[in-house]
Every structure is written in structure tokens, then in C-alpha cells.
Amino acid sequence: MLKKVKKNKLFLILIFFLLAVLMIPTYFWTKNSNKDLAERKKSQLSPVIMVPGSSATTERFNELVSTLNKDTVEKHSVLKIKVDTDGQLVYSGKISKGDNEPFIIIGFENNKDGYSNIKKQASWLNIAFQSLSKQYTFNNFKAFGHSNGGLIWTYWLEHYYSDYSSEIKIKELMTVGTPFNFNETSISHKTQMLEDFIKNKSKIPSSLNVYSVSGGENYESDGLVPENSVEAGKYIFQNQVNHYTTMTVTGEDAQHSSLPQNKQVVQLIEQYLLKAVQKGNNGPQRNSNKKDKN
């Protein structure tokens, strides 16, 4: 009997020891996790993440970034990430210490057109975003997409953003010359991509502010993307997001490939995406938080 009691006691000690061994890493993991959450919550970092269109690289926005940095007192550092087809990330540039509003440009080795590629590019965008969210403790960001870049952001919002929404808020999305219905000139014929976007639009956060900018080289298009295709974005965002605003820029540099350098587009970015104060004045007025889904 005594031998059996000793055996049971030894067994209980062993169980206790094993539980202690398992609890120690759990304790430190929880402690580190809570520390990361606390740091993210108080972070002042609010990057502007840019995605170029088809056939464009991470160098696509060089002129745009240069112009924006000339217009603001506080300069924005630039981090570029190229995502290879195997998911490997190639970094260049850096986020400077003390820069709370850097530009992060994400491009893809496969930067071809087409709905199937847009789905792949959204998955590669997610790989880059996941890496960024682990390296930098930002709790909000703004998104910018030129041409197909706006489609990639839209697909990402509908299929990937929910993984981050509890910790990281997307505040604004600006799309420029984005063909939400590809090359269709009439909304009566919706492409499969547009149909899918409309079907999944409820996954887009209702707190988001969306600005859709089209180029008016003529009355029908920006020379490449039909104006009606850009306007098709209303079937995705209108009555779904907090604010949905459409704007058309005309005059010089209103052609599709020139839109990122268009002076009016630059001003819109400064007004709606950037916090930095412009030279010579108190900066552009920020949009209000008043609820308006139309």
C-alpha cells in the first residue's frame, strides 16, 4: 500500500513538473504578445502604402514621391518592397527614425494584367503586408493604388484585411484611374471581377473613406481606361463605406499613365492622405468624420 502511495505521489509530481514546463513558454508568449499589442496601440506610425498598376515596378512613384516631399515640411522616407512569384520579399530604402508617415511602395515580379493575376498580386500584397505588420508596430495606414493597384487593394480588402482589422485600421483608400469594370464602357455588362467585388463588398470596412479619381483626357476616358469603368466603383463602395467620393481631373497630365504626376492628384493626396503640414500655410483641411455613405 505504501509503495502504491509513493508511486502515485511521484506521478503527481511528474504531472506538475510537465505542466510547469508547458506554462513557462506560454507565460512569456502571452507577456510578449501583450507588450506588442500595447506598443502597437500607442504607435504614432501611419504609413501611406502605395501599389502601382500593371507593368509597373516599385520605381513607378518616384516622381510623385519627389513632388510630395517638395510640398511638405516634414519629409517622407521611402521603403520599397518587391514581391517575387515565390513570395520572397526584396527590400530597398528604409523608414527613417522619427518619420511617422513614410511611403511604402509594394510591387510585384509578376506585374501583368488580368483578373487571375490581380488575385495573385493581392495574395503577394498580403505577404508583404504581413511582414510589415510584424516589423513595424503601426495601428493604422492609408492606401493608394494607381490603375490595377486599386483593384489589388479592393481584392485584398475583401479577402485578407479581416486578419488585421482588430489591430490595424485602414483609414483611407485612394484609387486613381482604376478600371473596376476593366475595359467595358457600359455598366450593363459587368465583368466577372466586378460581379465578385460587388458580391463581397460587405467585407470592406464601413469606417473606410474612399476617393476614386479618374482622368479626363476626353469625355469618355483617360486615354486608356473608360470613365464608366472607373465610375463602376460606386457599385462596390457606395452605401458600404463611410465616405465615397469621386473626382475627375482634367488638363495637363490627365492621361492614364501620367495621372500619378498630375498636379491635381498630388494636391488630392496631400489633402486626403497626408497629415504633414504644407509649406506656407496650415495644410489642407482633413475630411470630417460625419457619417455619410453616399
Side-chain angles (χ1 to χ4, degrees):
M1 184 70 180
L2 184 61
K3 189 175 182 180
K4 186 176 181 181
V5 170
K6 288 183 177 180
K7 186 177 180 180
N8 288 339
K9 187 177 180 180
L10 182 63
F11 178 75
L12 289 173
I13 293 172
L14 181 61
I15 292 295
F16 179 80
F17 176 76
L18 289 173
L19 287 173
V21 169
L22 291 172
M23 288 175 66
I24 289 172
T26 302
Y27 167 77
F28 284 107
W29 180 87
T30 303
K31 185 178 180 180
N32 289 335
S33 180
N34 290 337
K35 182 181 178 182
D36 290 342
L37 287 172
E39 288 181 356
R40 188 180 299 279
K41 189 174 181 179
K42 67 181 182 181
S43 173
Q44 298 298 309
L45 187 64
S46 179
V48 179
I49 305 179
M50 300 180 169
V51 176
S54 60
S55 301
T57 70
T58 54
E59 307 303 308
R60 179 65 178 88
F61 300 125
N62 287 354
E63 185 175 342
L64 170 62
V65 169
S66 177
T67 302
L68 289 169
N69 271 333
K70 288 177 182 177
D71 288 348
T72 54
V73 174
E74 296 182 8
K75 305 309 176 188
H76 306 265
S77 55
V78 183
L79 175 66
K80 299 176 181 178
I81 306 174
K82 187 188 79 169
V83 189
D84 291 338
T85 53
D86 61 359
Q88 294 296 310
L89 304 178
V90 181
Y91 289 82
S92 60
K94 65 176 182 178
I95 295 178
S96 300
K97 186 177 180 180
D99 181 7
N100 289 329
E101 202 169 42
F103 295 129
I104 301 175
I105 302 170
I106 301 174
F108 313 101
E109 180 184 14
N110 172 2
N111 54 17
K112 302 304 180 184
D113 198 3
Y115 187 28
S116 61
N117 270 344
I118 286 164
K119 293 178 182 179
K120 293 177 184 176
Q121 289 154 0
S123 71
W124 294 324
L125 168 61
N126 189 58
I127 292 173
F129 191 91
Q130 187 178 55
S131 176
L132 288 168
S133 69
K134 291 178 179 179
Q135 292 184 64
Y136 304 98
T137 54
F138 58 96
N139 57 48
N140 73 86
F141 72 101
K142 289 86 69 172
F144 177 87
H146 174 238
S147 193
N148 281 7
L151 303 179
I152 296 166
W153 273 122
T154 303
Y155 194 92
W156 181 85
L157 282 171
E158 293 186 348
H159 293 84
Y160 297 99
Y161 175 63
S162 60
D163 293 339
Y164 312 92
S165 58
S166 62
E167 296 181 15
I168 302 174
K169 178 182 178 181
I170 177 171
K171 298 176 70 175
E172 275 89 29
L173 167 64
M174 180 176 290
T175 62
V176 176
T178 295
F180 291 102
N181 203 24
F182 276 141
N183 292 324
E184 295 295 329
T185 57
S186 174
I187 196 60
S188 61
H189 182 259
K190 294 183 177 68
T191 62
Q192 184 62 54
M193 180 183 68
L194 179 57
E195 292 278 11
D196 290 347
F197 281 160
I198 295 171
K199 181 177 67 175
N200 295 303
K201 69 177 186 177
S202 62
K203 298 177 182 178
I204 298 173
S206 59
S207 60
L208 180 62
N209 297 315
V210 178
Y211 307 94
S212 176
V213 184
S214 60
E217 187 181 57
N218 55 51
Y219 292 113
E220 289 80 33
S221 74
D222 60 13
L224 182 63
V225 174
E227 186 171 345
N228 284 340
S229 181
V230 177
E231 289 185 354
K234 67 183 179 182
Y235 295 99
I236 306 166
F237 299 109
Q238 191 167 305
N239 296 320
Q240 172 59 34
V241 299
N242 187 38
H243 290 276
Y244 173 66
T245 306
T246 61
M247 296 165 277
T248 301
V249 298
T250 60
E252 187 179 358
D253 290 332
Q255 196 273 338
H256 182 78
S257 61
S258 300
L259 284 172
Q261 296 83 249
N262 183 285
K263 291 181 180 179
Q264 297 172 76
V265 171
V266 172
Q267 291 173 355
L268 292 172
I269 294 172
E270 292 170 348
Q271 181 174 355
Y272 294 112
L273 299 188
L274 300 181
K275 296 178 182 177
V277 178
Q278 288 180 262
K279 291 180 178 178
N281 58 36
N282 292 324
Q285 294 294 316
R286 299 291 293 170
N287 54 296
S288 70
N289 291 322
K290 184 179 178 181
K291 191 75 172 178
D292 181 5
K293 289 190 174 184
N294 295 312

